[in-house]
Amino acid sequence: MILIVCLLGDGPVLAAEMPPDTMAARMQACASCHGAMGEGTKDDYFPRLAGKPAGYLYNQLIAFREGRRRYPPMNFLLEFQNDAYLHKMAEYFAEQRPPLPAPAIPTVSNDLLARGEQLATKGDPQRNIPACAGCHGPSFTGMEPAIPGLLGLRPSYISAQLGAWRYGTRTAALPDCMQLVAGYLTEDDVKALAAWLSSRKAPPDTSPLPRGSLPMPLACGSEPN
Amino acid sequence: MITRISGMILSAALISGLSVAVAAAQQPVTPPSAAPAPQPAKVPTDSIIARGEYLARAGDCIACHTAPEGQTFAGSRAMKTPFGTIFTSNITPDPTTGIGKWTADQFYTMMHTGRSIDGSLLYPAMPFASYTKVTRDDSDAIFAFLMSVPAVKQANRPHDLRFPYNNRSLIIGWRTLYFNEGEYKPDATKSAEWNRGAYLVEGLGHCGMCHTAINALGGSSESQAFEGGLIPMQNWYAPSLTSNKEAGLGDWSIKDITELLRDGISHRGAVYGPMADVVYNSLQYLSDDDVRAMAIYLKGLAQGSSPDRPSPPLPTAETSLLVSLGKPIYDKQCASCHGTEGAGMPPHYPLLAGNQSIQMSSAVNAIRMVLNGGFPPGTKGNPTPYGMPPFAHVLSDDEIAAVVTYIRTSWGNRGAPVSARQANELRSATLN
């Protein structure tokens, strides 16, 4: 009896007094919004992080820390974290591969949905709109090091981000190609793209394409080639 | 950080400034009369510059004088206040837009008297009320360092303050009440270490800028130095450093204090909010000797006050309801990190049982912690901190009040209960 108590007292019981030395434990502060593996939550607006290129996630974390991208609860959490730690956070979420959520069921007309597909895969050369696939990849899984996949995001999040670029509240490194692209889009285009992209089924491999594998239609400051 | 301090300092400056504005209006603003005798020009050596860099860290000049993603020391960082916005100055050696034409004498005069080189009064958002304690030698080293950084041509942005707060002569009122010019005078009855700590805390560290009660006039008075107060606009409470009921460190070990100040975490609690800023931008860069000296001084500050706790709150029906509502929330949402008995897993998950910082009469910090969550600062001693999730989007006002009441009154803690209204009011607090 006494022996057992001693053993327990010295062994794993005491060790359990420290939290596990893992990124998963450290990132619990993010889980209620982004999911434990960055898979996203039921909330319409909280984005999936898992599997996006680490360079992309890192750029976002820096932008939040410096207040260039605004979402006060996140700006607050990251305010006093150093670059090296932000790198670790980005790498942690980039490595996760939880399954994608079920595709959203589109709530727009078939015409609008077709327009979304057209813009995303072919663009609209007459209105200077490049195909989203030209940078985000033919199956929209993104490209290393800094172009995110567009799968597993909800329509409200996609339209909010495109809107943020159009109104200048979200910016990326210059030349900010997404600002140019978003500037050419109308409200209806945005609605169409958000509906079509969020209704995509997951391709077998959701990994981002290797760096430099697409001849991008515009230069992007955040995606060196 | 800037925004956090400025509300307090400006209200201090201006509310009390107004109260003596009559006197101020009659007193012409004169250039400093007793400028220190010019000293022979010294060519700064590398070691002086390095010392200056270190002292500038201790003074946290970089945090206020660098805009987000802006060039180091080029200023134009916005400090939002209830009266408008103040922009910090370019302090790089650029001759036209920075301080490149200044002399070490002029720099010392500014630090020491709070007057610019043309004699005009500076807003106390620049913590000259603390920097006045800095020695001539240290001021010269800081100046030599600033002269060695890359010059940036960037004009100062004019302050955007509403009438009458845009009138610098109002500052004379604040100065009359709260500014005591003069270098730090060592106390011969105390050890060299204690004196070094006092010099850093009262001087370059400008700890009193936040940790000082704001009296009825809106300023801090000498007798209340380090007694703590709410930082207006920011809604964070800077606890008293002299009372063991708040952040007084009288019964902390020197090791715990040192770790708290340098690493941001300790076995007695972690820093958060504006204090995380101070540790991140300034204290983590200080030498072990200097942090230890500060710890010795801070421990002494609170030694006189008794460590007794406020009397237990009367258990009203409402309180016991809150507590019984709070326990299941705590067990579900908090216990995995802070432990069912509030023991935490220090230093990473702070203990809540016996933690001074949640039992203070002001419940503001505990409520905000639960609403907003947080990470201790990422420091050299703790580069990858563990975080606490925000609960603003998870718990209702009633649930926040219940769980905060629970942690403030359980495990022998003697805090007072909090209401759902208090929780609700803090939802809209500025986050940064």
Side-chain angles (χ1 to χ4, degrees):
Chain A
M1 174 68 195
I2 289 165
L3 189 72
I4 292 168
V5 170
C6 288
L7 282 175
L8 284 176
D10 282 30
V13 176
L14 270 188
E17 295 289 297
M18 286 294 260
D21 188 9
T22 60
M23 277 306 282
R26 289 177 168 83
M27 295 297 99
Q28 281 184 73
C30 324
S32 66
C33 296
H34 293 293
M37 300 174 78
E39 68 275 18
T41 53
K42 284 203 205 73
D43 188 291
D44 263 3
Y45 191 64
F46 297 160
R48 178 184 175 89
L49 307 177
K52 289 181 180 168
Y56 170 75
L57 294 175
Y58 178 67
N59 289 342
Q60 305 315 307
L61 293 172
I62 295 278
F64 279 114
R65 186 187 66 192
E66 305 298 336
R68 197 169 12 92
R69 195 173 164 186
R70 298 286 305 163
Y71 181 66
M74 278 208 49
N75 300 120
F76 176 77
L77 285 180
L78 299 175
E79 200 175 355
F80 307 117
Q81 301 311 321
N82 55 57
D83 293 356
Y85 193 25
L86 297 186
H87 253 301
K88 286 207 168 111
M89 295 183 190
E91 273 158 16
Y92 170 74
F93 287 111
E95 281 160 12
Q96 306 304 315
R97 289 288 183 280
L100 283 165
I105 297 157
T107 55
V108 302
S109 69
N110 283 341
D111 280 359
L112 211 55
L113 209 56
R115 175 149 149 208
E117 173 166 16
Q118 174 75 21
L119 286 172
T121 57
K122 310 253 161 45
D124 184 346
Q126 272 168 2
R127 291 163 57 215
N128 289 323
I129 305 174
C132 317
C135 294
H136 290 279
S139 27
F140 303 97
T141 54
M143 175 164 64
E144 297 285 356
I147 297 185
L150 298 178
L151 301 167
L153 299 175
R154 287 172 225 267
S156 54
Y157 177 78
I158 297 177
S159 18
Q161 298 309 314
L162 293 172
W165 263 301
R166 288 168 56 190
Y167 299 116
T169 50
R170 180 171 174 181
T171 56
L174 293 174
D176 189 350
C177 54
M178 272 311 296
Q179 192 159 37
L180 279 176
V181 173
Y184 295 130
L185 303 174
T186 64
E187 293 289 335
D188 267 0
D189 293 338
V190 170
K191 214 195 256 174
L193 281 161
W196 188 76
L197 285 168
S198 60
S199 68
R200 291 297 78 209
K201 280 216 258 335
D205 182 4
T206 56
S207 303
L209 299 170
R211 180 185 188 129
S213 43
L214 297 169
M216 299 172 9
L218 296 168
C220 307
S222 49
E223 178 80 2
N225 42 19
Chain B
M1 150 163 184
I2 307 20
T3 40
R4 277 172 197 135
I5 301 179
S6 56
M8 164 173 152
I9 294 309
L10 247 206
S11 38
L14 298 167
I15 298 165
S16 53
L18 279 173
S19 67
V20 265
V22 192
Q26 283 139 14
Q27 244 170 296
V29 173
T30 44
S33 44
Q39 307 219 334
K42 282 176 273 183
V43 179
T45 61
D46 285 354
S47 75
I48 291 182
I49 291 174
R51 201 162 62 87
E53 179 171 15
Y54 176 80
L55 294 165
R57 273 298 179 188
D60 210 1
C61 322
I62 196 167
C64 285
H65 284 281
T66 307
E69 294 186 299
Q71 284 172 284
T72 311
F73 294 125
S76 285
R77 179 156 195 149
M79 303 173 68
K80 291 214 180 64
T81 79
F83 314 101
T85 305
I86 284 196
F87 293 95
T88 58
S89 319
N90 180 342
I91 58 170
T92 71
D94 183 69
T96 48
T97 61
I99 59 170
K101 287 197 189 126
W102 288 31
T103 63
D105 285 340
Q106 288 173 320
F107 182 78
Y108 175 78
T109 304
M110 184 279 297
M111 294 280 279
H112 194 66
T113 67
R115 286 173 185 272
S116 189
I117 50 173
D118 64 0
S120 59
L121 301 177
L122 294 177
Y123 286 103
M126 162 70 187
F128 65 85
S130 305
Y131 296 160
T132 188
K133 308 235 177 197
V134 173
T135 62
R136 175 71 204 225
D137 247 19
D138 282 355
S139 170
D140 284 356
I142 295 173
F143 183 68
F145 163 64
L146 289 174
M147 289 300 117
S148 77
V149 307
V152 179
K153 198 174 206 67
Q154 179 178 296
N156 287 334
R157 282 184 71 172
H159 303 326
D160 183 14
L161 293 168
R162 284 192 300 280
F163 177 82
Y165 310 112
N166 53 358
N167 180 356
R168 280 186 187 268
S169 60
L170 283 186
I171 300 167
I172 199 100
W174 183 89
R175 294 172 61 103
T176 313
L177 291 167
Y178 308 116
F179 177 48
N180 290 309
E181 189 179 310
E183 279 184 22
Y184 177 74
K185 298 264 177 314
D187 179 343
T189 67
K190 297 286 207 300
S191 70
E193 248 183 336
W194 185 96
N195 275 300
R196 176 69 181 166
Y199 173 70
L200 289 168
V201 167
E202 295 175 12
L204 279 172
H206 63 282
C207 316
M209 194 167 182
C210 296
H211 288 281
T212 305
I214 300 172
N215 62 29
L217 284 171
S220 52
S221 75
E222 190 71 347
S223 66
Q224 284 171 314
F226 304 116
E227 275 188 7
L230 190 74
I231 309 178
M233 282 200 84
Q234 302 309 320
N235 285 309
W236 282 107
Y237 181 80
S240 162
L241 295 175
T242 59
S243 162
N244 287 334
K245 287 176 210 151
E246 298 203 344
L249 304 167
D251 61 357
W252 285 43
S253 72
I254 294 293
K255 179 168 175 287
D256 287 337
I257 307 176
T258 307
E259 284 170 1
L260 180 84
L261 297 178
R262 190 194 53 204
D263 305 338
I265 53 170
S266 77
H267 285 263
R268 299 288 299 263
V271 299
Y272 49 84
M275 195 59 208
D277 192 331
V278 174
V279 171
Y280 183 71
N281 281 306
S282 174
L283 300 180
Q284 68 159 314
Y285 296 99
L286 300 196
S287 70
D288 287 353
D289 282 350
D290 277 349
V291 178
R292 199 185 132 80
M294 290 171 93
I296 286 170
Y297 171 71
L298 289 167
K299 188 173 163 69
L301 259 187
Q303 213 98 70
S305 72
S306 63
D308 60 340
R309 302 258 171 237
S311 51
L314 294 179
T316 62
E318 206 198 336
T319 309
S320 33
L321 182 73
L322 277 174
V323 170
S324 59
L325 216 74
K327 183 172 162 46
I329 302 171
Y330 180 86
D331 288 343
K332 177 160 177 254
Q333 306 281 6
C334 325
S336 61
C337 296
H338 293 292
T340 41
E341 295 303 317
M345 299 182 202
H348 295 299
Y349 295 142
L351 79 178
L352 300 181
N355 185 323
Q356 292 157 225
S357 113
I358 60 175
Q359 303 178 61
M360 303 186 290
S361 49
S362 165
V364 164
N365 291 358
I367 296 173
R368 289 210 52 187
M369 202 64 227
V370 176
L371 284 170
N372 307 135
F375 278 84
T379 55
K380 278 187 244 166
N382 183 34
T384 56
Y386 291 78
M388 160 150 164
F391 289 93
H393 61 294
V394 177
L395 300 177
S396 69
D397 293 343
D398 285 325
E399 290 170 321
I400 303 260
V403 78
V404 173
T405 300
Y406 178 72
I407 61 171
R408 274 165 67 81
T409 55
S410 301
W411 320 302
N413 285 356
R414 303 274 189 88
V418 306
S419 69
R421 226 190 81 209
Q422 281 174 287
N424 182 273
E425 281 166 4
L426 288 167
R427 276 188 193 271
S428 55
T430 358
L431 276 180
N432 61 3

